[in-house]
Amino acid sequence: MKKSERAIIVKKILDKKYPKTPVPLNHDDNFSLLIAVLLSAQCTDERVNQITPILFSKASSPKAMSKLTQNQIYKIIKPCGLGPQKSAAIKKLSSILVKNFMGEVPNNFKDLEKLPGVGHKTASVVMSQGFGIPAFAVDTHIHRLAQRWGLTNGKNVKKTEEDLKKIFPRSAWNKLHLQIIFWGREFCQARECYGLECEICRKCYPKRKKPFVHKKP
């Protein structure tokens, strides 16, 4: 089966299962989305959604956030993990947004990725879910599933993003990013499916008998 044929199978199943794709991180605007995505690194969406209301009740704008001390931010976001790094990044990026962008989140990759704590994946999520600009945010979970489904050669996250963008239409990128995440959580978990159990794995590789061995990103 060709990669393009597997891509058709994947998209058909995901569209049927997840016709609607609500953003899992609660937010009110692009600033709160940016902060939520930053906090989600090595943390569950559920935990982030518990913490962000507390944080934003103290400071809901870049100007207000920049006036908090790093320690004040840290005390609130500590349960999300990586507290020292994340609190420093949040305070610094808030100050930069006020100073250089009139308190607004920039709508381009170049400026977003220059912000402290904001890598390409975080920027991609903000661009796609915040601004509606086509982007394909690939994290380790999507990287793993793309390997299992034969959509990438699995060399690294960057290569996986390039491969997914080539085989799926640009208009589908934003929705597919979320659909793949939802499917992975529900049916194709890291330590359960192993490329053998879920409907997508079985249809993409009907003759696969042994657990799939992933290449680390």
Side-chain angles (χ1 to χ4, degrees), residues 14-23 175 178-179 182:
L14 291 178
D15 282 342
K16 182 178 180 180
K17 179 63 181 176
Y18 306 109
K20 296 182 179 180
T21 52
V23 179
K175 189 173 186 178
L178 291 171
Q179 288 174 320
F182 296 161

Side-chain angles (χ1 to χ4, degrees), residues 25 35-45 48 80 86 121:
L25 290 170
I35 299 303
V37 178
L38 188 156
L39 290 174
S40 70
Q42 298 185 36
C43 182
T44 65
D45 292 346
V48 173
C80 291
K86 290 178 180 178
K121 182 259 181 178

Side-chain angles (χ1 to χ4, degrees), residues 98-115:
V98 172
K99 182 179 179 181
N100 299 338
F101 300 98
M102 299 179 67
E104 299 292 332
V105 176
N107 64 347
N108 64 83
F109 279 101
K110 181 179 179 180
D111 289 330
L112 279 171
E113 291 180 20
K114 286 182 179 179
L115 296 173

Side-chain angles (χ1 to χ4, degrees), residues 117-134:
V118 179
H120 182 67
K121 182 259 181 178
T122 296
S124 294
V125 174
V126 173
M127 289 289 283
S128 62
Q129 299 176 7
F131 293 104
I133 297 172

